[in-house]
Structure formats: structure tokens, C-alpha cells
Amino acid sequence: MVDTEATIALFHQVVRGEEVLVREKMAKPIPTQQLMVLAFIVAHPGVIQRNIVDLIGRKAATVSVMLKNMEKQGLITRQIPSDNSRNKKIFVTDEGRKLTEMFKETRQQVHEEMLANLSTDERQELRQLVAKIKIPD
């Protein structure tokens, strides 16, 4: 019988390993969650904090602190629209955009390294197997 806990532990090991490798290879150390938020803002310029709260599943106060830190680092700007002073629109700066590109390239490189020992057929089979996994509601 296959050990379910051992299988899930392997998934955690892969995800955690990917995070660690990406962080180690990034020239500028920044938490992975901030990098993911930056990538989201690049894809959705002008988002509001509520969208990010929904995306990462953290409390609004936690996200607010994260965004303040990112603003201090020069990665994002927050602009108050004239029609709604409560919801600041968030945009990525040039520095944030550069960091996002570096993150994407580094992540792709890490993914290739992680999958290097798998043939094309094995990668396809892995994709099919992982797609069958059901996340409970």
C-alpha cells in the first residue's frame, strides 16, 4: 500500500525546495510572497489592496504592512483616484518590474533544473498525474 503521508510530504518538499532555490538564486533577497504579489500587480496594474488580500489569503492588515514595505523599497507606488479616496490603486515601479522579470527568469531556470532528470514523456506523465489530484473544498 502506498503511504499517503509520504506522497504529500514529497509534494511539500518539491514546493519548499523550489522556494528555497529561487530565493538563493535571486540577486536581491525578497520574500517569495512579495515576488508573487509583484507579478500579480504587473499583470493587473491599478489593483486595489482587497484584490491582493483575496489572492494571498492574508489579513488586510498583513497585506497593508507588506505593501508599505514594498513601497519603501521602491517596488510599487500607490495612487489615490479622484473618485475614491479609500481604495488606492497599486502600480509596479520600474525597479519592481525589473525584479519581477528577474524572478520569472530565475523561477524558470529553477524549474528546468528541478525537472532535468525527467524525459519529455515523464514530464507529460507527471503533469497528467498531478492534474488528477483533487483539492478538497
Side-chain angles (χ1 to χ4, degrees):
M1 184 168 152
V2 176
D3 183 2
T4 303
E5 290 300 318
T7 302
I8 297 301
L10 280 173
F11 274 108
H12 285 290
Q13 183 180 353
V14 168
V15 170
R16 183 70 183 130
E18 185 247 6
E19 262 186 53
V20 169
L21 287 170
V22 169
R23 196 172 318 121
E24 286 175 355
K25 290 179 182 282
M26 289 289 292
K28 182 175 182 177
I30 182 169
T32 305
Q33 195 165 53
Q34 285 187 18
L35 290 166
M36 298 294 238
V37 168
L38 272 176
F40 181 75
I41 299 168
V42 166
H44 304 91
V47 298
I48 60 173
Q49 181 175 320
R50 180 91 219 128
N51 300 129
I52 296 169
V53 168
D54 293 342
L55 172 74
I56 64 175
R58 300 284 180 156
K59 293 180 182 177
T62 303
V63 172
S64 180
V65 170
M66 179 194 306
L67 292 173
K68 281 181 187 174
N69 288 335
M70 292 169 71
E71 194 170 25
K72 284 180 188 174
Q73 295 171 22
L75 302 175
I76 63 166
T77 60
R78 294 191 277 185
Q79 300 173 3
I80 301 171
S82 58
D83 62 336
N84 185 347
S85 62
R86 288 192 52 170
N87 291 325
K88 295 178 184 174
K89 293 186 174 190
I90 305 165
F91 299 91
V92 174
T93 64
D94 288 342
E95 180 67 25
R97 195 171 307 285
K98 287 177 195 171
L99 193 60
T100 303
E101 281 305 310
M102 184 188 316
F103 170 63
K104 287 180 183 179
E105 291 169 10
T106 302
R107 197 167 182 213
Q108 181 63 37
Q109 177 188 3
V110 166
H111 292 169
E112 287 301 321
E113 290 172 11
M114 291 174 71
L115 298 173
N117 291 332
L118 298 179
S119 68
T120 303
D121 289 342
E122 289 170 327
R123 289 181 186 203
Q124 179 64 29
E125 183 180 0
L126 177 62
R127 240 186 333 273
Q128 290 169 344
L129 291 171
V130 172
K132 287 183 176 183
I133 296 172
K134 182 177 188 269
I135 306 297
D137 294 331

